Amino acid sequence: MIRKPDAFVLEKEKFSINRFIAKNVKIIPSITTLILFVVAYIIGGILYGDMGFLTFRTFFSLFTDNTHLLISAVGMTLVIISGGIDLSVGSVAALSTMIIAAGNAVDYGPAMAGWGWPMPLCVLFALFAGTLLGFLMGVLIQVFNVAPFIATLAGMFFARGLCFIISIDSIPIRDAWFNGLGEWRIQLNDVLNVNNPNAKVNITIGVFIFLAILIVSVILMHATKLGRNIYAIGGNEQSARLMGLPVKSTRIFIYTFNGFCSSLAGIAFALHMFSGFGRHLIGMELEVIASVVIGGALLSGGIGYPLGSMFGVMTQGVIRKFVTFGNLMSGYARITVGVLLFLFIVMQRIVIMIADKNKEA
């Protein structure tokens, strides 16, 4: 005779699951993103394996093609963990491309004179401009109590407007040093490419820039007091104030750092495109925010990891690979990202609700 489990056993098992979710509430969304990325990559291999999907070239192209998004996602992760938002990242990145292109050019068209600066100075000035804009937005948010949405929306219009004041045209970058840096490659043998064993994998300088900023952010968030303060502010700002944490300076730092990352993303994009243009990277801020949320960051703050955001960008990259290999309409990629974003927000709310209910119990 089979004995049915009594209500006490079922309730105990249910409580154990709830307790597991409550204990791992911060890491579950990011782990889910990693699993989703692996599953999507395997499905791509099954569908398009004979077309070279499961090669090192395809895998590393997720980094080389999305370097600017990966760099910007690092800075946006800190902003969202703190409970904020930044709509200016695409415009600030585009401004960096314009400063580099126009700053170094002697002339770039009829009656259009460049600034004629040395390229290293242009790069430093682009980084300074983006960092300064991030700092000013942080001051607006923290000192003048302006909502992050409004402050960064103003920053978005301001930076994009500066782009078109510099020039309404695309400006080519002809500096030999900068172009040489953009064309620099580390080549590896693509041993997974069975159709072409002699194929090479190119790893660009942008990938190393991203890895450097990722390592810095991971150390910052998980091995410093500043990182703990950022998580505390996002979790409960009022409690952080009562604990005596430096909320004001921490928040200003977050937006300053994100401005720096936005400028760095623009430089990485210029290294890929070799041009500056005011219409570069329109809509980039939405892609970055979506990547960070899909990567496991909670929009209300307090939860998120830079590595999770990296897999959020790469998951979107895999979806775009499906469109490319399957010769599909680009709209399918947008629809899929939208569905994923919706599902991840719902999942996060369910996880948080279970965790809160378990705390009350």
Side-chain angles (χ1 to χ4, degrees):
M1 180 178 180
I2 300 176
R3 182 181 177 183
K4 295 182 179 180
D6 54 30
F8 174 76
V9 174
L10 290 175
E11 186 64 27
K12 185 178 180 181
E13 291 178 354
K14 180 181 177 182
F15 179 76
S16 298
I17 294 172
N18 289 349
R19 186 168 56 185
F20 173 81
I21 292 175
K23 186 177 180 181
N24 299 280
V25 64
K26 294 182 178 181
I27 195 68
I28 286 174
S30 295
I31 294 297
T32 304
T33 304
L34 174 58
I35 294 171
L36 176 64
F37 168 74
V38 173
V39 170
Y41 205 81
I42 291 173
I43 292 173
I46 294 172
L47 295 176
Y48 309 116
D50 58 337
M51 299 173 64
F53 194 93
L54 292 177
T55 61
F56 281 134
R57 181 177 182 179
T58 299
F59 178 78
F60 280 105
S61 69
L62 297 176
F63 291 93
T64 55
D65 294 345
N66 300 291
T67 302
H68 60 290
L69 294 177
L70 289 163
I71 294 171
S72 185
V74 171
M76 186 68 77
T77 302
L78 271 65
V79 171
I80 291 180
I81 288 174
S82 71
I85 201 74
D86 192 341
L87 301 178
S88 70
V89 294
S91 299
V92 173
L95 179 60
S96 295
T97 70
M98 290 298 289
I99 290 173
I100 291 171
N104 179 252
V106 176
D107 62 84
Y108 48 89
M112 295 181 182
W115 309 338
W117 294 355
M119 180 54 78
L121 179 61
C122 296
V123 172
L124 289 175
F125 186 69
L127 289 172
F128 170 76
T131 305
L132 178 62
L133 282 173
F135 171 78
L136 293 176
M137 286 184 284
V139 169
L140 277 176
I141 292 165
Q142 190 59 43
V143 177
F144 296 95
N145 202 28
V146 178
F149 182 90
I150 299 300
T152 59
L153 184 66
M156 179 184 76
F157 285 121
F158 180 77
R160 191 68 70 176
L162 282 178
C163 290
F164 291 113
I165 286 176
I166 294 172
S167 176
I168 61 173
D169 299 315
S170 177
I171 306 174
I173 299 175
R174 299 191 177 96
D175 182 78
W177 173 77
F178 190 86
N179 290 353
L181 198 62
E183 293 170 353
W184 180 84
R185 301 284 189 273
I186 285 182
Q187 288 193 333
L188 304 174
N189 291 324
D190 192 349
V191 295
L192 296 181
N193 194 333
V194 294
N195 296 325
N196 185 6
N198 297 321
K200 300 292 183 180
V201 179
N202 293 318
I203 303 176
T204 63
I205 188 68
V207 176
F208 292 97
I209 295 174
F210 159 66
L211 290 176
I213 201 70
L214 177 67
I215 292 170
V216 168
S217 67
V218 170
I219 294 172
L220 172 69
M221 294 302 292
H222 303 290
T224 68
K225 185 178 179 181
L226 178 60
R228 293 190 291 271
N229 291 346
I230 294 172
Y231 277 110
I233 292 170
N236 191 317
E237 183 174 339
Q238 187 61 32
S239 296
R241 292 182 185 277
L242 293 174
M243 292 168 60
L245 299 180
V247 175
K248 181 178 178 179
S249 59
T250 301
R251 180 151 297 173
I252 291 174
F253 167 80
I254 291 167
Y255 283 91
T256 303
F257 179 75
N258 191 44
F260 174 80
C261 288
S262 300
S263 292
L264 199 60
I267 292 170
F269 190 75
L271 284 167
H272 180 67
M273 298 296 293
F274 302 115
S275 69
F277 190 27
R279 298 190 63 82
H280 275 333
L281 302 170
I282 291 178
M284 169 184 153
E285 55 278 347
L286 302 181
E287 290 188 70
V288 172
I289 292 170
S291 297
V292 174
V293 173
I294 292 173
L298 192 65
L299 278 172
S300 58
I303 295 176
Y305 296 96
L307 278 172
S309 298
M310 180 189 78
F311 284 109
V313 174
M314 293 176 70
T315 299
Q316 288 199 64
V318 169
I319 293 170
R320 285 192 288 270
K321 290 295 180 186
F322 282 5
V323 171
T324 302
F325 278 85
N327 197 24
L328 305 173
M329 293 177 61
S330 61
Y332 286 110
R334 297 284 183 179
I335 292 172
T336 305
V337 171
V339 171
L340 282 178
L341 190 59
F342 173 78
L343 291 177
F344 267 83
I345 290 173
V346 171
M347 181 196 70
Q348 287 177 351
R349 295 311 308 160
I350 292 173
V351 169
I352 294 297
M353 288 170 61
I354 292 174
D356 290 342
K357 188 179 293 185
N358 192 65
K359 288 178 182 178
E360 294 174 1

